[in-house]
Each structure stands twice: as structure tokens, then as C-alpha cells.
Amino acid sequence: MTYDVFVVGGGPSGATAAEDLARAGKRVAMLDRDGRIKPCGGAIPPRAIKDFAIPEDMIVAKVDVARMISPSGRSVDIHIENGYVGMVDREHFDEFLRVRAAKAGAERLTGTYLRIERDSAGTHVVWRDKASGEERRSLTKLIIGADGARSVVARDEVPGGDTIPYVIAYHEIIKAPAANKDYDPKRCDVIYDGRISPDFYGWVFPHGDQASVGMGTGVDGVNLKEATAALRASSGLTGCETIRKEGAPIPLKPLDKWDNGRDVVLAGDAAGVVAPSSGEGIYYAMLGGRVAATAAQACLASGKAKDLKLARKLFMKDNKTVFKVLRSMQDAYYKSDDRRERFVSLCHDVDVQKLTFEAYMNKKLVAARPLAHLKIGVKNVAHLMGWVKPSWT
């Protein structure tokens, strides 16, 4: 069988691409390594639930408060107005997406990607079947590389794909305690503290009967397990049963090029589409899968490889400014605990809270409140320059 598109990777990005292509009537294969669960806080905004038809039973918790905690232990509670942030457990969420893609008509393959070979017959994906251990060759017109932050497809096929910057994320899924003064099953805690992460943040995110407790860092030498143990201790979660532990790289910057100009296009973490500052990835991964599928369909229709560039063009059209703003925020405030203290203090501001969550929930910057934007800009500069003290000093 010759496939129209062979999707390497069955996470949110790959599964979304495979489903979209199958629903469009394309012959599509989706190759995934069975059993791998990515460390992830699991937050998805209403925009993702709506755009990708996420059913209610996939939402294991509904969060209506985000608590930002500074290095000194001060906190700011940001209440989410007119909605909630949905929480999913990647163990079940990713499998749901793969099953949905298969029901739409994608052929699901379980195994490990090895390489791409080309000959007079065309392009072949070479992979190892998990059940038999045998090497297989699948003929395909196009390939979508959705195989994660250390994408082998990107490394082998796309310029710059082997140099993508990333942080290492680690979390522990624990049995959630009963609600108490330290833990609220409807609240996400984000901890900005150099003792937990010197350049990123830690988190405690509710998952219904479970919770995700973790951190990320790009600094070599940080003991992720010790940092997470310290986070659990400071959050009153040391005695909770540990269900599983997971670690993986998370990319920090979209690649400048997402295709090889021939027959490969990247999607999701492989393309580097995780939001700076927040580390949010699920929505952007699924969007990345969708635009990769759109580009693949355009290429199949026209026969022109240049149409594969449409994936990055579509994604950056709507998200370039948001990513740029978030990158500037991370570069400005994550450098030291003094800066983190000022950042959490800045989050006290009502304008900051409203505009931040409007942008997060709807996935676009809100341009209808220019005065508020101006006020935030002035306050931001004042905090960065040290002209004002944190609001609790």
C-alpha cells in the first residue's frame, strides 16, 4: 500500500494531523511508540476544547484559579472569569486522540521510526514493528514528523532540526490529597523560585483524583528529582502516593524552517511550538498538527513541494506575536529570583490579570484595550528597572 501521508508520532500533534487527513479522505498511516507518556501539567484552554472537539469525559479537572508563588513565598491568586481551564491526563488523553484518528480512517502502526529511504519507487519510511521486532518499509508520498522535541525526522531531514533549544521537564503524578489549606483541586499553582528551577518554574496542577507536580530547567547539573521532592515538601505533598514519574525535553523556540523542500514537514514539538514563558504545549501541538495536515493536503493537490511551507506560515500568522511577547517576558523575568519576585508582584495588577487570561483562553492578544496595554507597558518597565518595589514590601 502506498500512503498519501505517513505521520511519525502519535501525540496530540501527530494524532490531530492523522485524523484531519483521514477525514479528508487521504490514505494515512500513524506510527507511534506504544506506552510513552510525556510529562505535562495537562492544561488546555477553552479554545482547544472548542477547536478540537475535546469531550467532557477527557476533562479530569476544571480550574478556575491560578496561584502565582514568588521566591519569598508570597502569592497572587488570579481568578478566571467566565470560564475555566480544563485539565487532562496525558496517559488517557493521547490514547483517546490516537483512537479517534484510527476511527476516522488512519492506519495505526506501533513501532519505532528508524529512517527515510528514497529510490526510484519513491519515499519510504523505515520503521521497526514493536510486536515482531522486524524492520518494515512503508511507501508514502509525504511524511509529517511529529516525533517530539528531539525529533529524529527533524534531525535527519530539516535544516536546523538538530539544534533546537529545550528545557528538560520532569513531573510526578501523585494521588491527590483532600482539599486543604495548601492544596485546592480547582487551582493551579505556579512556583517561581530559583530553589525549584533556576530558569523556569515549578507547578502543582490538579488532575481530579491525581495531581501533577513537576518543574523544568535548561540548566545543566540541576537534579530534577531532588527539586521536585523539595517542591512536594513545600506544597505539603510529600506523603502522597507516587503513581508514576516522567521526564522529557520541551522545545523553547519554533524552528525557522519546518519542511525539507521535498516531502517532509514537521509538527508539534518537532517544530518547536511550545509557548515560551508558560511552557504551554497541548493546544499549540494540536494546532501544529492541523496546519501540517493542511499543508500536506495542499501539496498533494498541487504536486508542488513549496506548499509544505504553508504549515509554518499559517501557524506563525496567528501566533508569532504571542510567542514574541512571551519570549520577551521569559527573558526579562526568569533571570533571577529578584526578577521573579517583581514578576509575581506585577501579577497583582488587575489589567495584567485580565489581559493575560483573555490572551490565554482565546489564544490571541486583545487589541481592544489600548489604554490597558499602555498602563501595563509602563508598569512592566518600572518593575524591570527597579523603580518600584514589589507590592508586598
Side-chain angles (χ1 to χ4, degrees):
M1 182 177 180
T2 300
Y3 297 107
D4 293 313
V5 184
F6 193 105
V7 181
V8 179
S13 184
T16 299
E19 181 187 358
D20 282 4
L21 288 163
R23 292 191 185 282
K26 306 304 178 185
R27 292 168 296 180
V28 56
M30 176 181 62
L31 175 68
D32 188 65
R33 294 184 297 166
D34 187 38
R36 179 182 178 276
I37 307 169
K38 181 182 176 182
C40 177
I44 56 173
R47 177 73 181 271
I49 295 171
K50 175 179 176 291
D51 286 1
F52 299 102
I54 306 303
E56 181 75 16
D57 62 357
M58 280 292 106
I59 308 300
V60 295
K62 294 181 179 180
V63 169
D64 57 18
V65 179
R67 173 168 288 182
M68 322 291 277
I69 303 174
S70 77
S72 67
R74 305 278 186 170
S75 65
V76 177
D77 284 357
I78 303 177
H79 295 269
I80 302 169
E81 299 178 357
N82 304 317
Y84 63 88
V85 174
M87 307 301 295
V88 298
D89 186 329
R90 293 292 295 272
E91 178 181 15
H92 306 294
F93 181 69
D94 288 19
E95 178 63 10
F96 159 76
L97 295 176
R98 289 190 285 267
V99 169
R100 188 165 72 173
K103 287 181 178 178
E107 182 177 353
R108 186 173 177 181
L109 306 174
T110 303
T112 305
Y113 167 83
L114 298 176
R115 62 189 179 275
I116 294 171
E117 294 180 351
R118 298 177 178 89
D119 57 24
S120 59
T123 299
H124 306 263
V125 175
V126 183
W127 55 284
R128 189 175 306 283
D129 179 67
K130 182 177 181 179
S132 66
E134 296 177 354
E135 197 169 288
R136 305 281 177 86
R137 296 174 85 243
S138 297
L139 186 62
T140 185
K141 297 176 183 176
L142 297 174
I143 298 161
I144 292 178
D147 52 332
R150 288 175 173 163
S151 167
V152 180
V153 176
R155 182 196 67 193
D156 292 346
E157 294 288 331
V158 178
D162 58 343
T163 59
I164 185 169
Y166 56 83
V167 299
I168 298 296
Y170 172 81
H171 80 160
E172 297 177 359
I173 295 294
I174 65 172
K175 185 174 181 180
N180 57 60
K181 65 180 181 63
D182 295 318
Y183 180 80
D184 184 339
K186 296 183 69 177
R187 187 188 72 218
C188 282
D189 291 355
V190 184
I191 300 91
Y192 298 96
D193 187 339
R195 291 167 295 185
I196 302 301
S197 171
D199 60 330
F200 211 56
Y201 63 81
W203 69 82
V204 177
F205 286 1
H207 285 186
D209 293 338
Q210 302 175 358
S212 166
V213 185
M215 51 77 70
T217 181
V219 177
D220 291 337
V222 175
N223 189 312
L224 282 72
K225 292 184 178 180
E226 287 183 2
T228 301
L231 175 56
R232 288 181 63 167
S234 65
S235 303
L237 301 171
T238 299
C240 296
E241 176 187 348
T242 301
I243 297 171
R244 65 177 194 264
K245 304 176 181 180
E246 295 143 3
I250 296 178
L252 290 177
K253 181 182 178 183
L255 290 174
D256 293 332
K257 190 174 178 63
W258 291 10
D259 68 278
N260 68 348
R262 184 175 183 178
D263 50 14
V264 173
V265 63
L266 304 178
D269 281 11
V273 293
V274 172
S277 182
S278 69
E280 182 195 358
I282 297 177
Y283 168 78
Y284 293 113
M286 297 181 79
L287 179 60
R290 177 149 291 171
V291 296
T294 300
Q297 291 180 65
C299 182
L300 290 169
S302 69
K304 298 178 180 178
K306 67 178 184 179
D307 285 337
L308 294 177
K309 298 182 186 298
L310 186 62
R312 191 179 191 280
K313 182 178 180 179
L314 288 173
F315 186 94
M316 299 307 287
K317 178 183 177 182
D318 289 336
N319 298 287
K320 182 178 181 179
T321 302
V322 172
F323 273 49
K324 184 177 181 180
V325 170
L326 292 175
R327 165 55 57 190
S328 297
M329 183 184 299
Q330 180 173 333
D331 290 344
Y333 282 110
Y334 288 16
K335 291 181 177 180
S336 68
D337 275 355
D338 178 68
R339 290 286 184 93
R340 294 184 186 95
E341 197 75 33
R342 292 180 180 278
F343 173 66
V344 176
S345 176
L346 181 63
C347 290
H348 268 288
D349 188 271
V350 174
D351 288 318
V352 172
Q353 294 182 15
K354 288 186 176 180
L355 288 181
T356 297
F357 270 93
E358 284 173 3
Y360 173 77
M361 303 285 268
N362 300 306
K363 293 300 159 210
K364 58 184 178 181
L365 295 177
V366 182
R369 298 171 59 192
L371 182 58
H373 280 282
L374 178 60
K375 288 168 59 181
I376 289 172
V378 172
K379 293 171 184 176
N380 184 49
V381 171
H383 275 270
L384 283 174
M385 297 301 292
W387 297 338
V388 296
K389 294 181 178 180
S391 58
W392 40 72
T393 61

